[in-house]
């Protein structure tokens, strides 16, 4: 597959630098790549000349944290103008919320007998974003848990002892920031949310009403049944379809770069109106 419209670098919770990510993607056959770090666009300035030198097309993106009906959702923005002031003000607010949450997570870990977790997690973060992924790496490396999965299951996941609810952007704000910056808003990895089929329909209705453009039909975390289900929902709600690996690095990959399947027939690709790449 030629396109990969959802990837992370070490500016958020990926492990590769922009250069390492782009080289690896190119070697895997990716030609058009979006870097979509959580609540941050800092890797894009560094990535742009590298992508140009590799002959790849770089789509400026971000994965925005959203709270919708007490649930966390991720909305990917594609082809955003990273100089847009309202967008950057929104992302700054979300990173401040991440910092507040990180202190609260560390305090809860302390109560569970894990000391100095804030400094520990910060050692794994090379950019401005502090993620639960960094706490998870710290817990694994410190021998507190066996692996990343266990870190979320035993400490960091919803309702676990070190879980802290965050107040992210509203759906309308996130889509508004993306559209205001000239981009397209995409619901990331829709199969990962705990929603009934009625809940999913309400989400898609609301997303469409506030100006959302597409959903990830192909995601690194989707199985074949998810692809079929979300292809049908995209069609029904008149949304375009996107494809992204959600790559975070070689040690925690759902799928290797360049191995995404094609969009199912009948989908309208989100890149259809982008022109030649
Ligand atoms: P945050 O946005 O800081 O709350 O962290 C969410 C990130 O944690 C996601 O983007 C994933 O990269 C990672 N994550 C969530 N659940 C798991 C899990 N069960 N195992 C490994 N990583 C996870
Ligand atoms: Mn992540
Ligand atoms: Mn996500
Ligand atoms: Mn992601």
């Amino acid at each position: 597959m030629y396109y990969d419209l959802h990837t992370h670098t070490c500016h958020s919770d990926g492990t590769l630098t922009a250069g390492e990510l782009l080289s690896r993607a190119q070697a895997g056959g990716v030609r058009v790549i979006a870097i979509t770090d959580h609540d941050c666009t800092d890797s894009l300035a560094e990535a742009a000349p590298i992508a140009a030198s590799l002959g790849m097309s770089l789509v400026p993106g971000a994965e925005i944290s959203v709270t919708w009906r007490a649930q966390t959702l991720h909305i990917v923005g594609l082809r955003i103008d990273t100089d847009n002031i309202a967008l950057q003000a929104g992302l700054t607010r979300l990173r401040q919320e991440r910092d507040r949450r990180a202190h609260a997570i560390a305090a809860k870990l302390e109560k569970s007998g894990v000391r100095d977790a804030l400094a520990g997690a910060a050692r794994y973060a090379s950019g401005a974003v502090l993620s639960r992924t960094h706490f998870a790496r710290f817990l694994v490396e410190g021998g507190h848990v066996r692996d990343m999965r266990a870190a979320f299951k035993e400490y960091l996941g919803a309702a676990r002892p070190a879980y802290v609810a965050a107040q992210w952007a509203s759906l309308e704000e996130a889509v508004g920031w993306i559209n205001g910056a000239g981009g397209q808003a995409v619901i990331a990895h829709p199969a990962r949310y705990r929603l009934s089929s009625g809940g999913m329909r309400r989400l898609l209705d609301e997303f469409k009403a506030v100006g959302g453009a597409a959903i990830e039909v192909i995601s690194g975390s989707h199985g074949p049944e998810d692809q079929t289900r979300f292809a049908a929902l995209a069609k029904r709600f008149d949304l375009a379809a996107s494809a992204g690996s959600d790559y975070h690095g070689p040690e925690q990959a759902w799928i290797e770069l360049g191995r995404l399947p094609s969009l199912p027939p009948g989908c309208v690709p989100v890149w259809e109106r982008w022109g030649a790449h």
Side-chain angles (χ1 to χ4, degrees):
M1 173 82 149
Y2 200 96
Y3 289 84
D4 188 339
L5 301 179
H6 185 157
T7 66
H8 296 274
T9 73
C10 58
H11 280 277
S12 65
D13 60 349
T15 56
L16 302 184
T17 64
E20 290 164 346
L21 174 76
L22 291 171
S23 304
R24 197 172 175 108
Q26 194 211 31
V30 176
R31 304 277 300 279
V32 181
I33 186 166
I35 295 181
T36 56
D37 278 316
H38 295 284
D39 306 321
C40 169
T41 60
D42 291 350
S43 70
L44 291 162
E46 172 190 334
I50 303 171
S53 74
L54 291 170
M56 300 173 83
S57 176
L58 176 67
V59 176
E63 182 173 14
I64 301 182
S65 307
V66 162
T67 302
W68 183 76
R69 299 190 184 202
Q71 253 212 78
T72 296
L73 304 179
H74 287 169
I75 303 297
V76 162
L78 297 176
R79 290 188 119 204
I80 47 175
D81 169 11
T82 56
D83 291 330
N84 184 272
I85 288 169
L87 170 71
Q88 289 301 343
L91 298 182
T92 300
R93 186 184 106 203
L94 295 179
R95 292 195 300 271
Q96 286 164 350
E97 175 66 353
R98 285 183 168 279
D99 289 341
R100 181 198 70 77
R101 183 188 65 159
H103 282 87
I105 291 174
K108 286 195 161 186
L109 284 171
E110 184 93 35
K111 282 191 184 149
S112 301
V114 180
R115 298 186 56 201
D116 293 327
L118 188 60
R123 277 203 297 277
Y124 294 93
S126 43
V129 170
L130 205 46
S131 163
R132 281 186 294 165
T133 309
H134 302 121
F135 281 96
R137 286 194 194 121
F138 162 74
L139 289 168
V140 173
E141 301 290 322
H144 299 283
V145 291
R146 195 167 8 98
D147 54 22
M148 296 289 285
R149 221 184 136 95
F152 281 87
K153 218 172 159 183
E154 292 173 32
Y155 289 102
L156 301 165
R160 304 311 302 152
Y163 182 73
V164 177
Q167 193 58 50
W168 304 123
S170 71
L171 185 63
E172 187 168 14
E173 282 177 319
V175 174
W177 297 336
I178 292 165
N179 287 343
Q184 280 97 61
V186 184
I187 298 180
H189 44 64
R192 300 234 297 264
Y193 309 126
R194 283 169 176 259
L195 289 172
S196 63
S197 50
M200 182 57 71
R201 286 197 299 273
R202 279 189 289 280
L203 169 61
L204 295 177
D205 257 336
E206 227 176 277
F207 178 66
K208 180 86 187 166
V210 296
I215 60 178
E216 284 180 355
V217 168
I218 300 295
S219 163
S221 63
H222 279 183
E225 286 169 18
D226 301 320
Q227 295 164 14
T228 306
R229 175 176 173 219
F230 288 102
L233 282 172
K235 200 166 181 180
R236 176 162 158 197
F237 284 83
D238 192 26
L239 289 161
S242 189
S245 61
D246 201 6
Y247 191 78
H248 282 73
E251 53 293 281
Q252 49 181 128
W254 301 101
I255 189 168
E256 191 43 74
L257 291 163
R259 301 280 166 76
L260 287 175
S262 306
L263 287 175
C267 287
V268 178
V270 67
W271 56 83
E272 192 176 70
R273 288 187 204 87
W274 290 358
H277 279 286

